[in-house]
Amino acid sequence: MTRLTALNRDQASSKSKELFDGIQAKLGTVPNMMRTMGNSSAVLEGYLNLSESLGNGALGAKMGEMIAMTVAEANACDYCLSAHAYIGTKLVGIEGEVLNASRHAHHSDSKIEAGLHFAKTLVETQGKPSSEEVKAVLNAGYTEGEVGEIIAHVALNVFTNYFNNTANTEIDFPKVKANVNGVL
């Protein structure tokens, strides 16, 4: 049972209605997470702005979706795993097995794997990686700007994970469950 309400358009403030209209125009629907965020237009607008900014970043959409999967698995967020599995495969074009591997920070490309591992490390260390872990991601070929983007992607996804885990948002994508025992 949900703990926070996913608003319908007619229940939303004028600012949230405006944001809902933009989401509807772009996606063809307003997902339950965004409808729930609409209880505060500031929350929804902040999420949308950071998400859009990172979407235009150097890391690209595929890496962003893989980071989202890594972070969602680490935080056991079924809503985010479900949403990003759908977005990653259907909208971004990532193979299912690649997305599935990214849940545990694995990838066949060593640079991508280093970025995913760094993202997972940020979650596990609550944003306090060691100097060696920072050096490792830089040595893998990421620029300092790209490391900043990894941090921002992790922060965005921790926010959505915490939001959805708290709200117990109803999943409106094909369901994917976090594996709390480490076995997929």
Side-chain angles (χ1 to χ4, degrees):
M1 177 173 214
T2 61
R3 295 185 284 221
L4 298 177
T5 305
L7 300 177
N8 292 319
R9 189 182 185 285
D10 60 335
Q11 298 170 301
S13 69
S14 60
K15 180 63 178 178
S16 287
K17 282 180 187 174
E18 178 185 320
L19 295 169
F20 285 0
D21 291 346
I23 296 162
Q24 180 75 37
K26 188 173 185 177
L27 301 178
T29 188
V30 181
N32 286 339
M33 179 189 78
M34 294 177 204
R35 291 177 47 225
T36 305
M37 286 180 174
N39 284 291
S40 168
S41 59
V43 169
L44 180 56
E45 187 173 34
Y47 162 75
L48 292 171
N49 287 340
L50 183 54
S51 183
E52 182 178 351
S53 291
L54 290 175
N56 294 321
L59 292 179
K62 287 185 177 184
M63 186 64 175
E65 290 305 316
M66 289 185 285
I67 291 170
M69 293 295 286
T70 301
V71 175
E73 184 68 34
N75 287 316
C77 182
D78 293 345
Y79 186 93
C80 292
L81 281 170
S82 301
H84 291 287
Y86 180 84
I87 293 165
T89 57
K90 302 293 185 192
L91 304 180
V92 179
I94 304 170
E95 294 177 13
E97 56 271 5
V98 172
L99 269 179
N100 199 33
S102 69
R103 291 170 65 171
H104 296 286
H106 297 303
H107 197 279
S108 61
D109 179 291
S110 61
K111 180 180 177 182
I112 292 171
E113 185 164 286
L116 296 176
H117 177 74
F118 184 68
K120 185 176 180 182
T121 296
L122 288 170
V123 174
E124 291 172 344
T125 64
Q126 298 178 325
K128 297 176 185 169
S130 69
S131 295
E132 292 77 22
E133 290 161 333
V134 175
K135 283 180 191 174
V137 74
L138 289 168
N139 288 339
Y142 288 96
T143 66
E144 290 184 10
E146 290 167 333
V147 171
E149 286 186 27
I150 293 170
I151 296 165
H153 274 282
V154 169
L156 176 66
N157 285 284
V158 166
F159 165 58
T160 60
N161 294 172
Y162 285 13
F163 185 88
N164 289 302
N165 284 342
T166 299
N168 200 29
T169 308
E170 183 179 340
I171 298 172
D172 47 353
F173 296 93
K175 290 184 178 156
V176 176
K177 295 205 54 78
N179 183 10
V180 294
N181 297 324
V183 179
L184 294 177

